Amino acid sequence: MSEKRKLLQRYMRNLSDLQDELKRKELEKKMKELEMLQAKLARRQEQSGTKCAGGKIKNLRQKNLRKVLGKYMMTLEGFLCELARREARLNGDRGRASESENLPHPQMLEEYTVAFCAVGEDGRELLEAALSARRCAYAPYSKFKVGAAFRAKCGRIYAGCNIENVAFTPGNCAERCALAKGISEGEKKYTAGAVVAYHPDGFTTPCGVCRQFILEFIQNDIPIYIAKAPPPEQENCIPSIPDEAEVLVTSAYHLLPHSFNSFE
């Protein structure tokens, strides 16, 4: 077994060396092409004269040439970064996960906290819908009520609450309850969401299952508004969320940055 392992390790080292050699050859080729383009651009700049019609054509050609040069430079930078990462890994250095080409890095929205009164109208509407749904929560065992709301691509809001069961497993989270309502009516894409629950020590964010479920029905990153519901003794107070209350504005990708994907 140890011989097979050694053979596999030797094979992987040889494969990595071969890939590095191919990258270097590609880099050398691009460098030569870049030098030729730079020399060509320098000659054209020397030959360029007055602002006549011929001069305008030359300027246009130079702009196109600069675009080509820019593309080559970006390609070269990519090659150099990849070579640096490979050499660092071979030397035993730890690489940044954010630089790995094997991990998807989608564009994430900004994550921040803000007072409820400073939240946009769309966000406040979602939070209020989630609070309203929370009142219908069926949580006789945990006593922990949660409300959620999601805005479909058409603009309609679907809200839901958590539903418990004495057997625990058949229970349903508020987030999936809200999305299931919209999905059952044909809405498969969503643009924003909100979750509210009361916990004395902080915000209540979606569980791992709900985070993966949310990502199934979004096209790009969407904002998720998280707020604390009023404590039990203040549930009937108006307003339910004070203007100065803190709201966490996160996003679907922030909640689950390395989500599972089928990669079609």
Side-chain angles (χ1 to χ4, degrees):
M1 191 68 181
S2 59
E3 291 297 326
K4 289 184 178 179
R5 188 178 290 110
K6 289 179 181 177
L7 183 63
L8 180 60
Q9 289 174 348
R10 193 179 304 117
Y11 170 76
M12 292 303 293
R13 282 197 297 270
N14 291 338
L15 180 62
S16 181
D17 292 342
L18 181 61
Q19 289 176 333
D20 290 344
E21 186 61 28
L22 289 173
K23 288 283 185 181
R24 287 190 180 91
K25 287 181 178 179
E26 187 79 20
L27 182 62
E28 290 174 1
K29 182 182 176 182
K30 294 294 182 183
M31 286 294 290
K32 289 179 181 177
E33 292 179 1
L34 180 62
E35 289 173 1
M36 291 174 61
L37 286 169
Q38 286 175 331
K40 188 176 180 181
L41 179 61
R43 286 197 303 270
R44 290 194 175 187
Q45 286 176 338
E46 290 175 0
Q47 295 170 0
S48 60
T50 57
K51 295 283 184 177
C52 60
K56 290 180 180 179
I57 294 173
K58 288 180 181 178
N59 289 336
L60 183 61
R61 288 175 179 172
Q62 287 175 4
K63 286 182 181 178
N64 293 333
L65 193 57
R66 288 192 187 96
K67 287 181 181 179
V68 175
L69 282 170
K71 290 180 181 178
Y72 274 112
M73 289 300 293
M74 289 178 65
T75 305
L76 286 171
E77 287 176 6
F79 280 136
L80 290 170
C81 289
E82 177 61 21
L83 286 172
R85 284 196 295 268
R86 286 176 178 271
E87 289 173 358
R89 285 199 296 269
L90 289 172
N91 294 330
D93 297 340
R94 292 182 178 180
R96 293 176 179 270
S98 60
E99 295 175 352
S100 172
E101 294 182 354
N102 294 314
L103 286 171
H105 302 292
Q107 186 67 38
M108 290 186 180
L109 296 175
E110 185 183 2
E111 185 179 49
Y112 57 92
T113 58
V114 68
F116 177 72
C117 62
V119 176
E121 185 179 348
D122 290 348
R124 291 199 305 271
E125 189 177 12
L126 282 168
L127 287 167
E128 288 166 359
L131 272 173
S132 179
R134 180 177 176 270
R135 297 188 181 96
C136 299
Y138 179 74
Y141 308 106
S142 70
K143 311 297 182 186
F144 190 74
K145 298 180 179 181
V146 183
F150 286 86
R151 187 184 303 278
K153 194 173 180 180
C154 68
R156 184 175 173 182
I157 292 176
Y158 294 91
C161 60
N162 58 323
I163 305 168
E164 294 182 348
N165 190 282
V166 68
F168 293 129
T169 305
N172 198 16
C173 296
E175 297 89 336
R176 283 180 284 144
C177 180
L179 287 169
K181 287 170 68 176
I183 294 162
S184 66
E185 295 186 19
E187 297 298 336
K188 301 293 193 302
K189 297 297 177 184
Y190 295 84
T191 59
V195 180
V196 293
Y198 173 71
H199 193 289
D201 297 330
F203 294 119
T204 299
T205 57
C207 71
V209 174
C210 287
R211 296 179 189 202
Q212 182 69 47
F213 195 87
I214 292 168
L215 286 169
E216 184 75 17
F217 300 101
I218 63 173
Q219 291 177 316
N220 299 302
D221 200 12
I222 66 169
I224 305 290
Y225 301 90
I226 311 290
K228 289 178 68 173
E233 64 274 12
Q234 298 178 12
E235 281 191 355
N236 296 322
C237 292
I238 298 175
S240 299
I241 304 178
D243 284 346
E244 67 276 9
E246 187 181 39
V247 175
L248 168 64
V249 184
T250 182
S251 75
Y253 289 156
H254 274 291
L255 290 173
L256 194 59
H258 300 313
S259 62
F260 176 77
N261 198 327
S262 61
F263 296 108
E264 295 180 358

